[in-house]
Amino acid sequence: YAQLVSLSWFLGIASVYIMLFSVYNFFYFKKLQLGVSEEFLIRHSGVWIQKEEYLEIFRLQAVSVSQPVWYKKRGLVNLTFHSAGGDISFPMVKKVQVQPVLNYLLY
């Protein structure tokens, strides 16, 4: 009986943890935004603490685009913008939507 109770407690806590983790990830990716102006590249992120990262476009040194095998079917890519001040990464972006932005930034 004691082993059954401890197993049910473990399953209950694990299911609550998985549910909270899923809700957090949903809101994290919902708040993740990429903004491009004439002078800045802006990354908005954060669930509880809102954070903005700015990168001046003239300081942009390189852009890395990676596409794992499981992203190809959905047309998603991972972007990383490189500068001397640090990198700004942006996961799971639709390649069709970001292609004009990349052409503008690299031109």
Short mmCIF file of all heavy atoms in Angstrom, two decimals, residues 70-106:
data_model
loop_
_atom_site.label_atom_id
_atom_site.label_comp_id
_atom_site.label_asym_id
_atom_site.label_seq_id
_atom_site.Cartn_x
_atom_site.Cartn_y
_atom_site.Cartn_z
N TRP A 70 14.55 17.55 -38.58
CA TRP A 70 13.13 17.56 -38.24
C TRP A 70 12.48 18.92 -38.49
O TRP A 70 11.28 19.06 -38.39
CB TRP A 70 12.91 17.11 -36.80
CG TRP A 70 13.75 17.82 -35.80
CD1 TRP A 70 13.45 18.97 -35.13
CD2 TRP A 70 15.05 17.45 -35.35
NE1 TRP A 70 14.46 19.34 -34.31
CE2 TRP A 70 15.47 18.42 -34.42
CE3 TRP A 70 15.91 16.40 -35.65
CZ2 TRP A 70 16.70 18.37 -33.79
CZ3 TRP A 70 17.13 16.35 -35.01
CH2 TRP A 70 17.51 17.32 -34.10
N TYR A 71 13.26 19.96 -38.84
CA TYR A 71 12.70 21.27 -39.18
C TYR A 71 12.38 21.39 -40.67
O TYR A 71 11.61 22.25 -41.07
CB TYR A 71 13.68 22.39 -38.82
CG TYR A 71 13.76 22.78 -37.37
CD1 TYR A 71 13.12 22.05 -36.38
CD2 TYR A 71 14.47 23.89 -36.99
CE1 TYR A 71 13.22 22.41 -35.06
CE2 TYR A 71 14.57 24.27 -35.66
CZ TYR A 71 13.94 23.52 -34.71
OH TYR A 71 14.02 23.90 -33.40
N LYS A 72 13.00 20.57 -41.51
CA LYS A 72 12.88 20.72 -42.96
C LYS A 72 11.44 20.57 -43.45
O LYS A 72 11.00 21.32 -44.31
CB LYS A 72 13.77 19.70 -43.67
CG LYS A 72 15.22 20.08 -43.63
CD LYS A 72 16.05 19.16 -44.46
CE LYS A 72 17.50 19.59 -44.38
NZ LYS A 72 18.35 18.82 -45.25
N LYS A 73 10.72 19.62 -42.93
CA LYS A 73 9.35 19.37 -43.38
C LYS A 73 8.45 20.58 -43.11
O LYS A 73 7.57 20.90 -43.90
CB LYS A 73 8.79 18.13 -42.71
CG LYS A 73 7.44 17.71 -43.21
CD LYS A 73 6.98 16.41 -42.59
CE LYS A 73 5.64 16.00 -43.14
NZ LYS A 73 5.18 14.75 -42.56
N ARG A 74 8.69 21.27 -42.01
CA ARG A 74 7.87 22.43 -41.64
C ARG A 74 8.44 23.76 -42.14
O ARG A 74 7.82 24.79 -41.97
CB ARG A 74 7.71 22.50 -40.13
CG ARG A 74 6.93 21.31 -39.61
CD ARG A 74 6.65 21.43 -38.16
NE ARG A 74 5.89 20.26 -37.73
CZ ARG A 74 5.25 20.20 -36.61
NH1 ARG A 74 5.27 21.22 -35.80
NH2 ARG A 74 4.59 19.11 -36.29
N GLY A 75 9.62 23.73 -42.72
CA GLY A 75 10.22 24.95 -43.26
C GLY A 75 10.73 25.89 -42.19
O GLY A 75 10.67 27.11 -42.36
N LEU A 76 11.26 25.35 -41.09
CA LEU A 76 11.76 26.16 -39.99
C LEU A 76 13.28 26.20 -40.01
O LEU A 76 13.94 25.27 -40.47
CB LEU A 76 11.29 25.60 -38.65
CG LEU A 76 9.78 25.54 -38.42
CD1 LEU A 76 9.48 24.82 -37.13
CD2 LEU A 76 9.18 26.92 -38.41
N VAL A 77 13.85 27.28 -39.47
CA VAL A 77 15.30 27.42 -39.33
C VAL A 77 15.62 28.07 -37.99
O VAL A 77 14.76 28.71 -37.38
CB VAL A 77 15.91 28.27 -40.47
CG1 VAL A 77 15.79 27.59 -41.80
CG2 VAL A 77 15.32 29.66 -40.50
N ASN A 78 16.84 27.89 -37.53
CA ASN A 78 17.37 28.60 -36.36
C ASN A 78 18.31 29.68 -36.87
O ASN A 78 19.19 29.41 -37.68
CB ASN A 78 18.13 27.66 -35.44
CG ASN A 78 17.23 26.66 -34.76
OD1 ASN A 78 16.08 26.93 -34.49
ND2 ASN A 78 17.78 25.49 -34.48
N LEU A 79 18.12 30.91 -36.40
CA LEU A 79 18.96 32.03 -36.82
C LEU A 79 19.87 32.45 -35.68
O LEU A 79 19.45 32.49 -34.52
CB LEU A 79 18.11 33.24 -37.20
CG LEU A 79 17.24 33.13 -38.42
CD1 LEU A 79 16.39 34.39 -38.56
CD2 LEU A 79 18.08 32.94 -39.65
N THR A 80 21.09 32.81 -36.01
CA THR A 80 22.01 33.41 -35.05
C THR A 80 22.68 34.60 -35.73
O THR A 80 23.29 34.44 -36.79
CB THR A 80 23.08 32.40 -34.58
OG1 THR A 80 22.43 31.25 -34.06
CG2 THR A 80 23.96 33.01 -33.50
N PHE A 81 22.52 35.76 -35.13
CA PHE A 81 23.13 36.98 -35.64
C PHE A 81 24.41 37.22 -34.84
O PHE A 81 24.37 37.34 -33.62
CB PHE A 81 22.17 38.16 -35.50
CG PHE A 81 20.88 37.97 -36.25
CD1 PHE A 81 19.75 37.55 -35.60
CD2 PHE A 81 20.82 38.20 -37.61
CE1 PHE A 81 18.56 37.37 -36.28
CE2 PHE A 81 19.65 38.03 -38.31
CZ PHE A 81 18.51 37.61 -37.65
N HIS A 82 25.54 37.34 -35.53
CA HIS A 82 26.84 37.47 -34.88
C HIS A 82 27.35 38.90 -34.99
O HIS A 82 27.28 39.51 -36.05
CB HIS A 82 27.87 36.54 -35.53
CG HIS A 82 27.46 35.10 -35.54
ND1 HIS A 82 27.58 34.29 -34.43
CD2 HIS A 82 26.92 34.34 -36.50
CE1 HIS A 82 27.15 33.08 -34.74
NE2 HIS A 82 26.73 33.09 -35.99
N SER A 83 27.87 39.40 -33.87
CA SER A 83 28.56 40.69 -33.85
C SER A 83 29.68 40.59 -32.83
O SER A 83 29.78 39.62 -32.09
CB SER A 83 27.60 41.83 -33.49
OG SER A 83 27.27 41.78 -32.14
N ALA A 84 30.51 41.61 -32.78
CA ALA A 84 31.62 41.61 -31.83
C ALA A 84 31.12 41.70 -30.39
O ALA A 84 31.77 41.23 -29.47
CB ALA A 84 32.57 42.77 -32.13
N GLY A 85 29.95 42.29 -30.19
CA GLY A 85 29.40 42.43 -28.85
C GLY A 85 28.69 41.19 -28.34
O GLY A 85 28.29 41.15 -27.19
N GLY A 86 28.49 40.21 -29.17
CA GLY A 86 27.81 38.99 -28.77
C GLY A 86 26.87 38.50 -29.86
O GLY A 86 26.72 39.12 -30.91
N ASP A 87 26.26 37.39 -29.58
CA ASP A 87 25.36 36.77 -30.55
C ASP A 87 23.92 36.89 -30.07
O ASP A 87 23.64 36.85 -28.88
CB ASP A 87 25.69 35.28 -30.72
CG ASP A 87 27.09 35.06 -31.26
OD1 ASP A 87 27.63 35.99 -31.87
OD2 ASP A 87 27.62 33.96 -31.07
N ILE A 88 23.02 37.02 -31.02
CA ILE A 88 21.59 36.99 -30.73
C ILE A 88 21.02 35.82 -31.52
O ILE A 88 21.11 35.80 -32.75
CB ILE A 88 20.89 38.30 -31.14
CG1 ILE A 88 21.37 39.46 -30.28
CG2 ILE A 88 19.38 38.16 -31.02
CD1 ILE A 88 20.76 40.80 -30.63
N SER A 89 20.47 34.85 -30.81
CA SER A 89 19.91 33.68 -31.49
C SER A 89 18.39 33.74 -31.46
O SER A 89 17.79 34.30 -30.55
CB SER A 89 20.41 32.39 -30.84
OG SER A 89 20.04 32.36 -29.50
N PHE A 90 17.80 33.16 -32.48
CA PHE A 90 16.36 33.19 -32.64
C PHE A 90 15.94 31.82 -33.16
O PHE A 90 16.18 31.48 -34.31
CB PHE A 90 15.98 34.30 -33.62
CG PHE A 90 14.61 34.82 -33.41
CD1 PHE A 90 14.36 35.74 -32.41
CD2 PHE A 90 13.56 34.37 -34.18
CE1 PHE A 90 13.10 36.22 -32.21
CE2 PHE A 90 12.30 34.85 -33.98
CZ PHE A 90 12.06 35.77 -33.00
N PRO A 91 15.29 31.00 -32.31
CA PRO A 91 14.95 29.63 -32.72
C PRO A 91 13.63 29.54 -33.46
O PRO A 91 12.74 30.37 -33.28
CB PRO A 91 14.87 28.89 -31.38
CG PRO A 91 14.42 29.94 -30.42
CD PRO A 91 15.04 31.22 -30.90
N MET A 92 13.50 28.53 -34.27
CA MET A 92 12.27 28.12 -34.96
C MET A 92 11.55 29.26 -35.69
O MET A 92 10.47 29.66 -35.32
CB MET A 92 11.33 27.43 -33.98
CG MET A 92 11.85 26.12 -33.50
SD MET A 92 10.66 25.11 -32.64
CE MET A 92 10.31 26.06 -31.21
N VAL A 93 12.19 29.76 -36.72
CA VAL A 93 11.62 30.82 -37.53
C VAL A 93 11.25 30.22 -38.88
O VAL A 93 11.98 29.39 -39.42
CB VAL A 93 12.65 31.96 -37.74
CG1 VAL A 93 12.07 33.07 -38.57
CG2 VAL A 93 13.13 32.47 -36.42
N LYS A 94 10.12 30.65 -39.45
CA LYS A 94 9.74 30.16 -40.78
C LYS A 94 10.67 30.78 -41.82
O LYS A 94 10.84 31.99 -41.88
CB LYS A 94 8.29 30.51 -41.09
CG LYS A 94 7.33 29.74 -40.24
CD LYS A 94 5.93 29.87 -40.74
CE LYS A 94 5.06 29.03 -39.82
NZ LYS A 94 3.78 28.73 -40.43
N LYS A 95 11.25 29.91 -42.62
CA LYS A 95 12.25 30.33 -43.59
C LYS A 95 11.67 31.29 -44.62
O LYS A 95 12.32 32.24 -45.03
CB LYS A 95 12.85 29.10 -44.28
CG LYS A 95 14.01 29.40 -45.16
CD LYS A 95 14.61 28.13 -45.70
CE LYS A 95 15.84 28.42 -46.53
NZ LYS A 95 16.44 27.21 -47.05
N VAL A 96 10.44 31.07 -45.04
CA VAL A 96 9.80 31.92 -46.04
C VAL A 96 9.62 33.34 -45.51
O VAL A 96 9.81 34.31 -46.25
CB VAL A 96 8.43 31.31 -46.45
CG1 VAL A 96 7.68 32.22 -47.38
CG2 VAL A 96 8.63 29.94 -47.05
N GLN A 97 9.28 33.48 -44.23
CA GLN A 97 9.06 34.81 -43.66
C GLN A 97 10.36 35.56 -43.40
O GLN A 97 10.39 36.78 -43.44
CB GLN A 97 8.28 34.69 -42.35
CG GLN A 97 6.87 34.22 -42.53
CD GLN A 97 6.17 34.02 -41.19
OE1 GLN A 97 6.80 33.97 -40.15
NE2 GLN A 97 4.85 33.89 -41.24
N VAL A 98 11.43 34.85 -43.11
CA VAL A 98 12.67 35.51 -42.72
C VAL A 98 13.62 35.75 -43.90
O VAL A 98 14.54 36.54 -43.79
CB VAL A 98 13.36 34.70 -41.59
CG1 VAL A 98 14.14 33.53 -42.13
CG2 VAL A 98 14.24 35.58 -40.76
N GLN A 99 13.38 35.14 -45.03
CA GLN A 99 14.28 35.30 -46.18
C GLN A 99 14.40 36.75 -46.65
O GLN A 99 15.51 37.22 -46.88
CB GLN A 99 13.82 34.39 -47.33
CG GLN A 99 14.84 34.27 -48.44
CD GLN A 99 16.10 33.59 -47.99
OE1 GLN A 99 16.07 32.60 -47.28
NE2 GLN A 99 17.24 34.11 -48.40
N PRO A 100 13.30 37.53 -46.77
CA PRO A 100 13.48 38.94 -47.15
C PRO A 100 14.26 39.76 -46.10
O PRO A 100 15.02 40.65 -46.46
CB PRO A 100 12.04 39.47 -47.26
CG PRO A 100 11.19 38.27 -47.42
CD PRO A 100 11.91 37.15 -46.74
N VAL A 101 14.09 39.44 -44.83
CA VAL A 101 14.82 40.13 -43.77
C VAL A 101 16.31 39.83 -43.88
O VAL A 101 17.15 40.72 -43.76
CB VAL A 101 14.27 39.74 -42.38
CG1 VAL A 101 15.12 40.33 -41.28
CG2 VAL A 101 12.83 40.16 -42.25
N LEU A 102 16.66 38.57 -44.12
CA LEU A 102 18.05 38.21 -44.28
C LEU A 102 18.68 38.88 -45.49
O LEU A 102 19.81 39.36 -45.43
CB LEU A 102 18.20 36.68 -44.39
CG LEU A 102 17.94 35.88 -43.14
CD1 LEU A 102 18.02 34.40 -43.43
CD2 LEU A 102 18.91 36.26 -42.04
N ASN A 103 17.95 38.94 -46.59
CA ASN A 103 18.47 39.62 -47.78
C ASN A 103 18.72 41.10 -47.49
O ASN A 103 19.73 41.66 -47.91
CB ASN A 103 17.50 39.47 -48.95
CG ASN A 103 17.44 38.05 -49.45
OD1 ASN A 103 18.36 37.26 -49.24
ND2 ASN A 103 16.36 37.72 -50.13
N TYR A 104 17.81 41.74 -46.77
CA TYR A 104 17.98 43.15 -46.41
C TYR A 104 19.19 43.35 -45.49
O TYR A 104 19.99 44.26 -45.68
CB TYR A 104 16.70 43.69 -45.73
CG TYR A 104 16.87 45.06 -45.16
CD1 TYR A 104 16.91 46.18 -45.98
CD2 TYR A 104 16.98 45.25 -43.77
CE1 TYR A 104 17.07 47.46 -45.45
CE2 TYR A 104 17.13 46.52 -43.24
CZ TYR A 104 17.18 47.61 -44.09
OH TYR A 104 17.33 48.86 -43.56
N LEU A 105 19.31 42.50 -44.48
CA LEU A 105 20.41 42.65 -43.51
C LEU A 105 21.77 42.40 -44.15
O LEU A 105 22.74 43.09 -43.81
CB LEU A 105 20.20 41.69 -42.33
CG LEU A 105 19.04 42.01 -41.40
CD1 LEU A 105 18.88 40.90 -40.38
CD2 LEU A 105 19.25 43.34 -40.72
N LEU A 106 21.86 41.43 -45.01
CA LEU A 106 23.14 41.10 -45.61
C LEU A 106 23.50 42.03 -46.76
O LEU A 106 24.66 42.11 -47.17
CB LEU A 106 23.16 39.64 -46.06
CG LEU A 106 23.05 38.65 -44.90
CD1 LEU A 106 22.98 37.23 -45.45
CD2 LEU A 106 24.24 38.79 -43.97
#
